Amino acid sequence: MNFKGVIILVLVVLCLVVFFQNTEVVAFKVFFWELSMSRIVLLLITLIVGIIIGYVLTTILRSKTRRE
């Protein structure tokens, strides 16, 4: 296994530890809406949104550098 694979594996394990330690229900307010959900679900949604934003921004920056 290469260095990058080991780092990804360590990060996945750390994320799982954090997720399973945060299982209580929390109130989440966005503008006028208030949602009650498990903190683990909120963390997963935040992680997925962050990954999507990172992927989209990386794709945009790569396409701009290829044009130049």
PDB file of all heavy atoms in Angstrom, residues 9-45:
ATOM      1  N   LEU A   9      -6.658   5.830   4.563  1.00  0.00           N
ATOM      2  CA  LEU A   9      -7.163   4.857   5.528  1.00  0.00           C
ATOM      3  C   LEU A   9      -7.193   5.438   6.938  1.00  0.00           C
ATOM      4  O   LEU A   9      -8.180   5.287   7.665  1.00  0.00           O
ATOM      5  CB  LEU A   9      -6.315   3.591   5.485  1.00  0.00           C
ATOM      6  CG  LEU A   9      -6.758   2.453   6.396  1.00  0.00           C
ATOM      7  CD1 LEU A   9      -8.138   1.955   5.986  1.00  0.00           C
ATOM      8  CD2 LEU A   9      -5.749   1.328   6.358  1.00  0.00           C
ATOM      9  N   VAL A  10      -6.141   6.145   7.333  1.00  0.00           N
ATOM     10  CA  VAL A  10      -6.092   6.775   8.656  1.00  0.00           C
ATOM     11  C   VAL A  10      -7.187   7.819   8.788  1.00  0.00           C
ATOM     12  O   VAL A  10      -7.883   7.892   9.818  1.00  0.00           O
ATOM     13  CB  VAL A  10      -4.701   7.389   8.912  1.00  0.00           C
ATOM     14  CG1 VAL A  10      -4.702   8.271  10.147  1.00  0.00           C
ATOM     15  CG2 VAL A  10      -3.657   6.289   9.055  1.00  0.00           C
ATOM     16  N   LEU A  11      -7.396   8.627   7.757  1.00  0.00           N
ATOM     17  CA  LEU A  11      -8.451   9.650   7.801  1.00  0.00           C
ATOM     18  C   LEU A  11      -9.844   9.034   7.885  1.00  0.00           C
ATOM     19  O   LEU A  11     -10.712   9.540   8.599  1.00  0.00           O
ATOM     20  CB  LEU A  11      -8.346  10.570   6.591  1.00  0.00           C
ATOM     21  CG  LEU A  11      -7.159  11.527   6.594  1.00  0.00           C
ATOM     22  CD1 LEU A  11      -7.083  12.287   5.274  1.00  0.00           C
ATOM     23  CD2 LEU A  11      -7.245  12.489   7.759  1.00  0.00           C
ATOM     24  N   VAL A  12     -10.067   7.942   7.179  1.00  0.00           N
ATOM     25  CA  VAL A  12     -11.367   7.262   7.235  1.00  0.00           C
ATOM     26  C   VAL A  12     -11.610   6.715   8.640  1.00  0.00           C
ATOM     27  O   VAL A  12     -12.710   6.862   9.192  1.00  0.00           O
ATOM     28  CB  VAL A  12     -11.441   6.140   6.175  1.00  0.00           C
ATOM     29  CG1 VAL A  12     -12.630   5.228   6.427  1.00  0.00           C
ATOM     30  CG2 VAL A  12     -11.519   6.727   4.784  1.00  0.00           C
ATOM     31  N   VAL A  13     -10.603   6.121   9.244  1.00  0.00           N
ATOM     32  CA  VAL A  13     -10.745   5.587  10.605  1.00  0.00           C
ATOM     33  C   VAL A  13     -11.019   6.719  11.590  1.00  0.00           C
ATOM     34  O   VAL A  13     -11.891   6.598  12.459  1.00  0.00           O
ATOM     35  CB  VAL A  13      -9.496   4.775  11.009  1.00  0.00           C
ATOM     36  CG1 VAL A  13      -9.511   4.445  12.492  1.00  0.00           C
ATOM     37  CG2 VAL A  13      -9.394   3.507  10.186  1.00  0.00           C
ATOM     38  N   LEU A  14     -10.306   7.837  11.466  1.00  0.00           N
ATOM     39  CA  LEU A  14     -10.551   8.976  12.354  1.00  0.00           C
ATOM     40  C   LEU A  14     -11.960   9.535  12.180  1.00  0.00           C
ATOM     41  O   LEU A  14     -12.625   9.878  13.165  1.00  0.00           O
ATOM     42  CB  LEU A  14      -9.521  10.071  12.108  1.00  0.00           C
ATOM     43  CG  LEU A  14      -8.121   9.796  12.625  1.00  0.00           C
ATOM     44  CD1 LEU A  14      -7.168  10.898  12.171  1.00  0.00           C
ATOM     45  CD2 LEU A  14      -8.108   9.667  14.129  1.00  0.00           C
ATOM     46  N   CYS A  15     -12.441   9.609  10.940  1.00  0.00           N
ATOM     47  CA  CYS A  15     -13.811  10.077  10.696  1.00  0.00           C
ATOM     48  C   CYS A  15     -14.828   9.146  11.335  1.00  0.00           C
ATOM     49  O   CYS A  15     -15.805   9.603  11.938  1.00  0.00           O
ATOM     50  CB  CYS A  15     -14.078  10.186   9.195  1.00  0.00           C
ATOM     51  SG  CYS A  15     -13.341  11.617   8.433  1.00  0.00           S
ATOM     52  N   LEU A  16     -14.616   7.844  11.222  1.00  0.00           N
ATOM     53  CA  LEU A  16     -15.541   6.886  11.827  1.00  0.00           C
ATOM     54  C   LEU A  16     -15.571   7.016  13.344  1.00  0.00           C
ATOM     55  O   LEU A  16     -16.640   6.949  13.958  1.00  0.00           O
ATOM     56  CB  LEU A  16     -15.160   5.462  11.422  1.00  0.00           C
ATOM     57  CG  LEU A  16     -15.445   5.092   9.969  1.00  0.00           C
ATOM     58  CD1 LEU A  16     -14.899   3.705   9.666  1.00  0.00           C
ATOM     59  CD2 LEU A  16     -16.927   5.148   9.686  1.00  0.00           C
ATOM     60  N   VAL A  17     -14.418   7.230  13.961  1.00  0.00           N
ATOM     61  CA  VAL A  17     -14.361   7.412  15.420  1.00  0.00           C
ATOM     62  C   VAL A  17     -15.156   8.649  15.814  1.00  0.00           C
ATOM     63  O   VAL A  17     -15.960   8.610  16.761  1.00  0.00           O
ATOM     64  CB  VAL A  17     -12.898   7.515  15.904  1.00  0.00           C
ATOM     65  CG1 VAL A  17     -12.828   7.984  17.344  1.00  0.00           C
ATOM     66  CG2 VAL A  17     -12.193   6.178  15.750  1.00  0.00           C
ATOM     67  N   VAL A  18     -14.965   9.755  15.098  1.00  0.00           N
ATOM     68  CA  VAL A  18     -15.695  10.988  15.411  1.00  0.00           C
ATOM     69  C   VAL A  18     -17.188  10.793  15.195  1.00  0.00           C
ATOM     70  O   VAL A  18     -18.006  11.227  16.018  1.00  0.00           O
ATOM     71  CB  VAL A  18     -15.167  12.161  14.548  1.00  0.00           C
ATOM     72  CG1 VAL A  18     -16.065  13.377  14.667  1.00  0.00           C
ATOM     73  CG2 VAL A  18     -13.759  12.510  14.965  1.00  0.00           C
ATOM     74  N   PHE A  19     -17.577  10.132  14.108  1.00  0.00           N
ATOM     75  CA  PHE A  19     -18.989   9.922  13.830  1.00  0.00           C
ATOM     76  C   PHE A  19     -19.662   9.108  14.926  1.00  0.00           C
ATOM     77  O   PHE A  19     -20.740   9.462  15.400  1.00  0.00           O
ATOM     78  CB  PHE A  19     -19.182   9.219  12.489  1.00  0.00           C
ATOM     79  CG  PHE A  19     -18.890  10.074  11.292  1.00  0.00           C
ATOM     80  CD1 PHE A  19     -18.469   9.501  10.120  1.00  0.00           C
ATOM     81  CD2 PHE A  19     -19.029  11.445  11.335  1.00  0.00           C
ATOM     82  CE1 PHE A  19     -18.192  10.267   9.007  1.00  0.00           C
ATOM     83  CE2 PHE A  19     -18.754  12.232  10.229  1.00  0.00           C
ATOM     84  CZ  PHE A  19     -18.339  11.634   9.074  1.00  0.00           C
ATOM     85  N   PHE A  20     -19.054   8.031  15.343  1.00  0.00           N
ATOM     86  CA  PHE A  20     -19.706   7.156  16.313  1.00  0.00           C
ATOM     87  C   PHE A  20     -19.675   7.702  17.731  1.00  0.00           C
ATOM     88  O   PHE A  20     -20.388   7.213  18.605  1.00  0.00           O
ATOM     89  CB  PHE A  20     -19.115   5.757  16.251  1.00  0.00           C
ATOM     90  CG  PHE A  20     -19.529   5.018  15.008  1.00  0.00           C
ATOM     91  CD1 PHE A  20     -18.593   4.621  14.079  1.00  0.00           C
ATOM     92  CD2 PHE A  20     -20.863   4.768  14.755  1.00  0.00           C
ATOM     93  CE1 PHE A  20     -18.973   3.960  12.926  1.00  0.00           C
ATOM     94  CE2 PHE A  20     -21.260   4.115  13.601  1.00  0.00           C
ATOM     95  CZ  PHE A  20     -20.318   3.708  12.688  1.00  0.00           C
ATOM     96  N   GLN A  21     -18.894   8.745  17.989  1.00  0.00           N
ATOM     97  CA  GLN A  21     -18.913   9.386  19.295  1.00  0.00           C
ATOM     98  C   GLN A  21     -19.941  10.509  19.363  1.00  0.00           C
ATOM     99  O   GLN A  21     -20.173  11.073  20.421  1.00  0.00           O
ATOM    100  CB  GLN A  21     -17.535   9.948  19.642  1.00  0.00           C
ATOM    101  CG  GLN A  21     -16.536   8.878  19.978  1.00  0.00           C
ATOM    102  CD  GLN A  21     -15.185   9.444  20.331  1.00  0.00           C
ATOM    103  OE1 GLN A  21     -14.911  10.615  20.098  1.00  0.00           O
ATOM    104  NE2 GLN A  21     -14.349   8.618  20.909  1.00  0.00           N
ATOM    105  N   ASN A  22     -20.571  10.842  18.262  1.00  0.00           N
ATOM    106  CA  ASN A  22     -21.526  11.946  18.194  1.00  0.00           C
ATOM    107  C   ASN A  22     -22.876  11.446  17.689  1.00  0.00           C
ATOM    108  O   ASN A  22     -23.301  11.770  16.586  1.00  0.00           O
ATOM    109  CB  ASN A  22     -20.991  13.042  17.268  1.00  0.00           C
ATOM    110  CG  ASN A  22     -19.798  13.735  17.846  1.00  0.00           C
ATOM    111  OD1 ASN A  22     -19.915  14.429  18.835  1.00  0.00           O
ATOM    112  ND2 ASN A  22     -18.652  13.512  17.248  1.00  0.00           N
ATOM    113  N   THR A  23     -23.566  10.690  18.519  1.00  0.00           N
ATOM    114  CA  THR A  23     -24.835  10.103  18.080  1.00  0.00           C
ATOM    115  C   THR A  23     -26.069  10.792  18.659  1.00  0.00           C
ATOM    116  O   THR A  23     -27.183  10.433  18.306  1.00  0.00           O
ATOM    117  CB  THR A  23     -24.883   8.610  18.473  1.00  0.00           C
ATOM    118  OG1 THR A  23     -24.688   8.504  19.880  1.00  0.00           O
ATOM    119  CG2 THR A  23     -23.811   7.836  17.735  1.00  0.00           C
ATOM    120  N   GLU A  24     -25.901  11.789  19.521  1.00  0.00           N
ATOM    121  CA  GLU A  24     -27.068  12.420  20.129  1.00  0.00           C
ATOM    122  C   GLU A  24     -27.818  13.288  19.124  1.00  0.00           C
ATOM    123  O   GLU A  24     -27.280  13.708  18.102  1.00  0.00           O
ATOM    124  CB  GLU A  24     -26.676  13.249  21.361  1.00  0.00           C
ATOM    125  CG  GLU A  24     -25.746  14.401  21.083  1.00  0.00           C
ATOM    126  CD  GLU A  24     -24.276  14.034  21.152  1.00  0.00           C
ATOM    127  OE1 GLU A  24     -23.919  12.904  21.452  1.00  0.00           O
ATOM    128  OE2 GLU A  24     -23.473  14.918  20.856  1.00  0.00           O
ATOM    129  N   VAL A  25     -29.068  13.564  19.428  1.00  0.00           N
ATOM    130  CA  VAL A  25     -29.926  14.366  18.560  1.00  0.00           C
ATOM    131  C   VAL A  25     -29.678  15.844  18.841  1.00  0.00           C
ATOM    132  O   VAL A  25     -29.572  16.265  19.989  1.00  0.00           O
ATOM    133  CB  VAL A  25     -31.411  14.019  18.799  1.00  0.00           C
ATOM    134  CG1 VAL A  25     -32.321  14.935  17.988  1.00  0.00           C
ATOM    135  CG2 VAL A  25     -31.665  12.566  18.448  1.00  0.00           C
ATOM    136  N   VAL A  26     -29.548  16.622  17.772  1.00  0.00           N
ATOM    137  CA  VAL A  26     -29.311  18.057  17.903  1.00  0.00           C
ATOM    138  C   VAL A  26     -30.321  18.808  17.043  1.00  0.00           C
ATOM    139  O   VAL A  26     -30.866  18.274  16.091  1.00  0.00           O
ATOM    140  CB  VAL A  26     -27.882  18.450  17.469  1.00  0.00           C
ATOM    141  CG1 VAL A  26     -26.854  17.876  18.410  1.00  0.00           C
ATOM    142  CG2 VAL A  26     -27.595  18.039  16.053  1.00  0.00           C
ATOM    143  N   ALA A  27     -30.574  20.074  17.408  1.00  0.00           N
ATOM    144  CA  ALA A  27     -31.436  20.947  16.615  1.00  0.00           C
ATOM    145  C   ALA A  27     -30.548  21.740  15.666  1.00  0.00           C
ATOM    146  O   ALA A  27     -29.538  22.312  16.065  1.00  0.00           O
ATOM    147  CB  ALA A  27     -32.216  21.886  17.509  1.00  0.00           C
ATOM    148  N   PHE A  28     -30.929  21.766  14.417  1.00  0.00           N
ATOM    149  CA  PHE A  28     -30.161  22.426  13.371  1.00  0.00           C
ATOM    150  C   PHE A  28     -31.055  23.496  12.757  1.00  0.00           C
ATOM    151  O   PHE A  28     -32.116  23.197  12.224  1.00  0.00           O
ATOM    152  CB  PHE A  28     -29.739  21.374  12.339  1.00  0.00           C
ATOM    153  CG  PHE A  28     -28.981  21.925  11.182  1.00  0.00           C
ATOM    154  CD1 PHE A  28     -27.727  22.470  11.349  1.00  0.00           C
ATOM    155  CD2 PHE A  28     -29.521  21.887   9.912  1.00  0.00           C
ATOM    156  CE1 PHE A  28     -27.015  22.968  10.272  1.00  0.00           C
ATOM    157  CE2 PHE A  28     -28.825  22.381   8.830  1.00  0.00           C
ATOM    158  CZ  PHE A  28     -27.571  22.924   9.014  1.00  0.00           C
ATOM    159  N   LYS A  29     -30.631  24.761  12.835  1.00  0.00           N
ATOM    160  CA  LYS A  29     -31.444  25.866  12.322  1.00  0.00           C
ATOM    161  C   LYS A  29     -30.805  26.450  11.068  1.00  0.00           C
ATOM    162  O   LYS A  29     -29.618  26.747  11.047  1.00  0.00           O
ATOM    163  CB  LYS A  29     -31.560  26.966  13.370  1.00  0.00           C
ATOM    164  CG  LYS A  29     -32.303  26.551  14.601  1.00  0.00           C
ATOM    165  CD  LYS A  29     -32.394  27.688  15.585  1.00  0.00           C
ATOM    166  CE  LYS A  29     -33.086  27.216  16.848  1.00  0.00           C
ATOM    167  NZ  LYS A  29     -33.181  28.299  17.838  1.00  0.00           N
ATOM    168  N   VAL A  30     -31.632  26.576  10.020  1.00  0.00           N
ATOM    169  CA  VAL A  30     -31.217  27.226   8.782  1.00  0.00           C
ATOM    170  C   VAL A  30     -32.300  28.228   8.428  1.00  0.00           C
ATOM    171  O   VAL A  30     -33.427  27.836   8.126  1.00  0.00           O
ATOM    172  CB  VAL A  30     -31.047  26.206   7.632  1.00  0.00           C
ATOM    173  CG1 VAL A  30     -30.654  26.920   6.348  1.00  0.00           C
ATOM    174  CG2 VAL A  30     -30.046  25.147   7.985  1.00  0.00           C
ATOM    175  N   PHE A  31     -31.946  29.493   8.480  1.00  0.00           N
ATOM    176  CA  PHE A  31     -32.885  30.588   8.234  1.00  0.00           C
ATOM    177  C   PHE A  31     -34.159  30.388   9.053  1.00  0.00           C
ATOM    178  O   PHE A  31     -34.185  30.584  10.241  1.00  0.00           O
ATOM    179  CB  PHE A  31     -33.183  30.754   6.745  1.00  0.00           C
ATOM    180  CG  PHE A  31     -31.952  31.092   5.943  1.00  0.00           C
ATOM    181  CD1 PHE A  31     -31.491  30.234   4.976  1.00  0.00           C
ATOM    182  CD2 PHE A  31     -31.257  32.258   6.186  1.00  0.00           C
ATOM    183  CE1 PHE A  31     -30.360  30.542   4.245  1.00  0.00           C
ATOM    184  CE2 PHE A  31     -30.123  32.568   5.473  1.00  0.00           C
ATOM    185  CZ  PHE A  31     -29.671  31.710   4.493  1.00  0.00           C
ATOM    186  N   PHE A  32     -35.260  29.984   8.430  1.00  0.00           N
ATOM    187  CA  PHE A  32     -36.489  29.817   9.189  1.00  0.00           C
ATOM    188  C   PHE A  32     -36.774  28.384   9.580  1.00  0.00           C
ATOM    189  O   PHE A  32     -37.709  28.132  10.291  1.00  0.00           O
ATOM    190  CB  PHE A  32     -37.719  30.225   8.454  1.00  0.00           C
ATOM    191  CG  PHE A  32     -37.613  31.145   7.314  1.00  0.00           C
ATOM    192  CD1 PHE A  32     -36.529  31.227   6.481  1.00  0.00           C
ATOM    193  CD2 PHE A  32     -38.680  31.951   7.039  1.00  0.00           C
ATOM    194  CE1 PHE A  32     -36.507  32.081   5.409  1.00  0.00           C
ATOM    195  CE2 PHE A  32     -38.679  32.790   5.961  1.00  0.00           C
ATOM    196  CZ  PHE A  32     -37.596  32.866   5.160  1.00  0.00           C
ATOM    197  N   TRP A  33     -36.051  27.446   9.050  1.00  0.00           N
ATOM    198  CA  TRP A  33     -36.302  26.043   9.325  1.00  0.00           C
ATOM    199  C   TRP A  33     -35.500  25.568  10.525  1.00  0.00           C
ATOM    200  O   TRP A  33     -34.376  25.981  10.740  1.00  0.00           O
ATOM    201  CB  TRP A  33     -35.916  25.164   8.132  1.00  0.00           C
ATOM    202  CG  TRP A  33     -36.670  25.488   6.903  1.00  0.00           C
ATOM    203  CD1 TRP A  33     -38.006  25.330   6.705  1.00  0.00           C
ATOM    204  CD2 TRP A  33     -36.147  26.025   5.700  1.00  0.00           C
ATOM    205  NE1 TRP A  33     -38.347  25.725   5.446  1.00  0.00           N
ATOM    206  CE2 TRP A  33     -37.214  26.167   4.798  1.00  0.00           C
ATOM    207  CE3 TRP A  33     -34.880  26.401   5.284  1.00  0.00           C
ATOM    208  CZ2 TRP A  33     -37.052  26.666   3.525  1.00  0.00           C
ATOM    209  CZ3 TRP A  33     -34.722  26.898   4.016  1.00  0.00           C
ATOM    210  CH2 TRP A  33     -35.806  27.027   3.152  1.00  0.00           C
ATOM    211  N   GLU A  34     -36.131  24.686  11.285  1.00  0.00           N
ATOM    212  CA  GLU A  34     -35.417  24.035  12.385  1.00  0.00           C
ATOM    213  C   GLU A  34     -35.599  22.535  12.232  1.00  0.00           C
ATOM    214  O   GLU A  34     -36.714  22.032  12.180  1.00  0.00           O
ATOM    215  CB  GLU A  34     -35.951  24.483  13.741  1.00  0.00           C
ATOM    216  CG  GLU A  34     -35.184  23.872  14.878  1.00  0.00           C
ATOM    217  CD  GLU A  34     -35.585  24.434  16.225  1.00  0.00           C
ATOM    218  OE1 GLU A  34     -36.248  25.480  16.270  1.00  0.00           O
ATOM    219  OE2 GLU A  34     -35.243  23.808  17.238  1.00  0.00           O
ATOM    220  N   LEU A  35     -34.498  21.835  12.111  1.00  0.00           N
ATOM    221  CA  LEU A  35     -34.513  20.391  11.943  1.00  0.00           C
ATOM    222  C   LEU A  35     -33.871  19.735  13.147  1.00  0.00           C
ATOM    223  O   LEU A  35     -32.886  20.225  13.670  1.00  0.00           O
ATOM    224  CB  LEU A  35     -33.731  19.988  10.686  1.00  0.00           C
ATOM    225  CG  LEU A  35     -34.148  20.628   9.379  1.00  0.00           C
ATOM    226  CD1 LEU A  35     -33.104  20.340   8.317  1.00  0.00           C
ATOM    227  CD2 LEU A  35     -35.480  20.070   8.955  1.00  0.00           C
ATOM    228  N   SER A  36     -34.439  18.626  13.566  1.00  0.00           N
ATOM    229  CA  SER A  36     -33.821  17.821  14.614  1.00  0.00           C
ATOM    230  C   SER A  36     -33.327  16.536  13.966  1.00  0.00           C
ATOM    231  O   SER A  36     -34.078  15.828  13.313  1.00  0.00           O
ATOM    232  CB  SER A  36     -34.825  17.489  15.712  1.00  0.00           C
ATOM    233  OG  SER A  36     -35.216  18.659  16.376  1.00  0.00           O
ATOM    234  N   MET A  37     -32.040  16.289  14.131  1.00  0.00           N
ATOM    235  CA  MET A  37     -31.456  15.086  13.546  1.00  0.00           C
ATOM    236  C   MET A  37     -30.274  14.640  14.387  1.00  0.00           C
ATOM    237  O   MET A  37     -29.759  15.390  15.209  1.00  0.00           O
ATOM    238  CB  MET A  37     -31.016  15.331  12.107  1.00  0.00           C
ATOM    239  CG  MET A  37     -29.883  16.308  11.953  1.00  0.00           C
ATOM    240  SD  MET A  37     -29.314  16.520  10.271  1.00  0.00           S
ATOM    241  CE  MET A  37     -30.615  17.476   9.583  1.00  0.00           C
ATOM    242  N   SER A  38     -29.880  13.417  14.168  1.00  0.00           N
ATOM    243  CA  SER A  38     -28.711  12.889  14.848  1.00  0.00           C
ATOM    244  C   SER A  38     -27.478  13.652  14.360  1.00  0.00           C
ATOM    245  O   SER A  38     -27.366  14.004  13.191  1.00  0.00           O
ATOM    246  CB  SER A  38     -28.567  11.399  14.535  1.00  0.00           C
ATOM    247  OG  SER A  38     -27.376  10.908  15.062  1.00  0.00           O
ATOM    248  N   ARG A  39     -26.558  13.904  15.277  1.00  0.00           N
ATOM    249  CA  ARG A  39     -25.352  14.637  14.907  1.00  0.00           C
ATOM    250  C   ARG A  39     -24.523  13.872  13.875  1.00  0.00           C
ATOM    251  O   ARG A  39     -23.860  14.470  13.039  1.00  0.00           O
ATOM    252  CB  ARG A  39     -24.516  14.933  16.146  1.00  0.00           C
ATOM    253  CG  ARG A  39     -23.387  15.897  15.847  1.00  0.00           C
ATOM    254  CD  ARG A  39     -22.629  16.281  17.070  1.00  0.00           C
ATOM    255  NE  ARG A  39     -23.444  17.152  17.886  1.00  0.00           N
ATOM    256  CZ  ARG A  39     -23.107  17.522  19.115  1.00  0.00           C
ATOM    257  NH1 ARG A  39     -22.007  17.075  19.657  1.00  0.00           N
ATOM    258  NH2 ARG A  39     -23.883  18.317  19.811  1.00  0.00           N
ATOM    259  N   ILE A  40     -24.579  12.550  13.916  1.00  0.00           N
ATOM    260  CA  ILE A  40     -23.832  11.758  12.941  1.00  0.00           C
ATOM    261  C   ILE A  40     -24.340  12.021  11.526  1.00  0.00           C
ATOM    262  O   ILE A  40     -23.559  12.116  10.581  1.00  0.00           O
ATOM    263  CB  ILE A  40     -23.869  10.257  13.292  1.00  0.00           C
ATOM    264  CG1 ILE A  40     -22.882   9.474  12.430  1.00  0.00           C
ATOM    265  CG2 ILE A  40     -25.232   9.673  13.120  1.00  0.00           C
ATOM    266  CD1 ILE A  40     -22.702   8.034  12.876  1.00  0.00           C
ATOM    267  N   VAL A  41     -25.655  12.186  11.360  1.00  0.00           N
ATOM    268  CA  VAL A  41     -26.230  12.480  10.035  1.00  0.00           C
ATOM    269  C   VAL A  41     -25.784  13.862   9.580  1.00  0.00           C
ATOM    270  O   VAL A  41     -25.403  14.057   8.417  1.00  0.00           O
ATOM    271  CB  VAL A  41     -27.772  12.377  10.078  1.00  0.00           C
ATOM    272  CG1 VAL A  41     -28.392  12.835   8.779  1.00  0.00           C
ATOM    273  CG2 VAL A  41     -28.199  10.968  10.425  1.00  0.00           C
ATOM    274  N   LEU A  42     -25.790  14.825  10.488  1.00  0.00           N
ATOM    275  CA  LEU A  42     -25.357  16.176  10.161  1.00  0.00           C
ATOM    276  C   LEU A  42     -23.883  16.187   9.751  1.00  0.00           C
ATOM    277  O   LEU A  42     -23.505  16.841   8.776  1.00  0.00           O
ATOM    278  CB  LEU A  42     -25.588  17.104  11.355  1.00  0.00           C
ATOM    279  CG  LEU A  42     -25.274  18.577  11.168  1.00  0.00           C
ATOM    280  CD1 LEU A  42     -26.114  19.156  10.037  1.00  0.00           C
ATOM    281  CD2 LEU A  42     -25.509  19.332  12.460  1.00  0.00           C
ATOM    282  N   LEU A  43     -23.054  15.436  10.452  1.00  0.00           N
ATOM    283  CA  LEU A  43     -21.631  15.352  10.102  1.00  0.00           C
ATOM    284  C   LEU A  43     -21.430  14.684   8.746  1.00  0.00           C
ATOM    285  O   LEU A  43     -20.601  15.128   7.941  1.00  0.00           O
ATOM    286  CB  LEU A  43     -20.863  14.590  11.179  1.00  0.00           C
ATOM    287  CG  LEU A  43     -20.639  15.330  12.493  1.00  0.00           C
ATOM    288  CD1 LEU A  43     -20.077  14.381  13.533  1.00  0.00           C
ATOM    289  CD2 LEU A  43     -19.718  16.504  12.301  1.00  0.00           C
ATOM    290  N   LEU A  44     -22.192  13.638   8.464  1.00  0.00           N
ATOM    291  CA  LEU A  44     -22.087  12.970   7.165  1.00  0.00           C
ATOM    292  C   LEU A  44     -22.517  13.886   6.020  1.00  0.00           C
ATOM    293  O   LEU A  44     -21.869  13.924   4.970  1.00  0.00           O
ATOM    294  CB  LEU A  44     -22.911  11.690   7.158  1.00  0.00           C
ATOM    295  CG  LEU A  44     -22.314  10.507   7.913  1.00  0.00           C
ATOM    296  CD1 LEU A  44     -23.327   9.381   8.019  1.00  0.00           C
ATOM    297  CD2 LEU A  44     -21.058  10.028   7.230  1.00  0.00           C
ATOM    298  N   ILE A  45     -23.594  14.623   6.216  1.00  0.00           N
ATOM    299  CA  ILE A  45     -24.061  15.561   5.191  1.00  0.00           C
ATOM    300  C   ILE A  45     -23.004  16.632   4.948  1.00  0.00           C
ATOM    301  O   ILE A  45     -22.687  16.972   3.804  1.00  0.00           O
ATOM    302  CB  ILE A  45     -25.414  16.184   5.592  1.00  0.00           C
ATOM    303  CG1 ILE A  45     -26.513  15.130   5.544  1.00  0.00           C
ATOM    304  CG2 ILE A  45     -25.757  17.365   4.687  1.00  0.00           C
ATOM    305  CD1 ILE A  45     -27.827  15.593   6.148  1.00  0.00           C
TER     306      ILE A  45
END
